[in-house]
Every structure is written in structure tokens, then in C-alpha cells.
Amino acid sequence: MSLSSRTAVAIHALTLLGRRHETSLTSAEIADSLESNPVLVRRILGSLRDADLVRSTEGRGGGWSLARAPREITLYDAFAAVEPGPIISRHPHPPSASCEVGRNIQALLEVEFQDAERAMAERLAATTIAHLLGRVTDIERELGLTNR
């Protein structure tokens, strides 16, 4: 199973915007931090804007900023904004009804998958962007890379 990288990109962007809250950042500046393409970043930011997590301003000096305080944005908010559908893929087509496993597996897996998805959602909802900002600051301090 492989999840997309959209959630990681979204959380990275939100954390960067929280860290640099004094100014707006362009999608190119965010893409530089991600070492990614600004077009991809704009798509992710557009989804975050649709979820009211970020806002954008156009024109000179414009860019992206958080729409809420970092303590009010959870990692689950970011995930839900950018990931469509269930976390774990289901059977692409119904398995064989003539097989004892095939006719029962979907119902069995659905319970397991829903429990796993619920656990992941609860874990992501327990962490905010403010938590990540604090951890970034702690790591930078430990490494002697900040004066804060």
C-alpha cells in the first residue's frame, strides 16, 4: 500500500507558513523548501485554501499565509483537505463469490480497514501545526542552529 505524498507536502507547507507567519510566502518559496515544483505546491495550497486552512493574496507582495492560528490546524485537517477517498484501498472489483475467502474477505477487511483509518485519523487530529513548530524549534536549538 502506498499513500500519496500530498499530506506530507501539505503539512510541510502549513508548518513553513506557520514558521514564517510575519510575511506571506509565494508558492515558489514554499516549493524551494520542499525542493519541489511550484505547480504541485499551488495545487496543494489550492486544496488547503478550499478547506480554509490558508489564504492567498494576489499582486506584489502577495502570497500564501495561514488562515488560522497554528494551534487551530491539525495534521488531520491537512490530510482531509488533500486526500480524497479512503486511506486504504479496497478491492478494485468484487472477489469470487464461489470461493470461501472471496465471499467473506471484503466484510472482514472493511472492519479492519475502518479501525486502522480511525486510529490514523485520531493520531493526526492529536497533533497541531503549533506542535510541529515547537518540535522544529527544539531540534534547531539542540543542533545549535537558532538563537531562539
Side-chain angles (χ1 to χ4, degrees):
M1 176 190 71
S2 176
L3 296 175
S4 82
S5 62
R6 289 185 297 262
T7 298
V9 170
I11 291 168
H12 182 134
L14 290 167
T15 305
L16 183 62
L17 290 169
R19 180 81 169 169
R20 309 260 176 89
H21 66 275
E22 316 84 34
T23 60
S24 294
L25 295 176
T26 66
S27 53
E29 290 169 322
I30 297 168
D32 283 345
S33 177
L34 285 155
E35 293 195 356
S36 184
N37 184 314
V39 174
L40 166 72
V41 171
R42 276 192 291 278
R43 279 193 210 122
I44 298 291
L45 290 169
S47 295
L48 295 173
R49 181 184 50 219
D50 293 345
D52 296 320
L53 300 175
V54 299
R55 62 176 154 279
S56 63
T57 26
E58 294 185 23
R60 188 172 182 173
W64 297 89
S65 58
L66 293 181
R68 297 190 233 163
R71 71 182 178 285
E72 296 174 356
I73 302 172
T74 68
L75 303 190
Y76 182 77
D77 294 331
F79 165 78
V82 300
E83 295 290 351
I87 299 167
I88 303 171
S89 298
R90 298 339 193 234
H91 272 294
H93 50 80
S96 172
S98 64
C99 170
E100 64 275 6
V101 172
R103 69 178 155 259
N104 293 295
I105 197 70
Q106 283 184 291
L108 296 171
L109 286 179
E110 191 59 31
V111 170
E112 297 300 319
F113 289 177
Q114 284 182 3
D115 285 351
E117 289 170 343
R118 189 173 14 265
M120 182 176 149
E122 288 172 7
R123 176 68 177 107
L124 292 176
T127 304
T128 66
I129 296 300
H131 288 113
L132 294 185
L133 287 168
R135 290 165 61 192
V136 165
T137 299
D138 291 345
I139 292 167
E140 290 290 297
R141 220 180 261 138
E142 287 174 19
L143 296 173
L145 300 174
T146 185
N147 296 334
R148 290 185 180 187

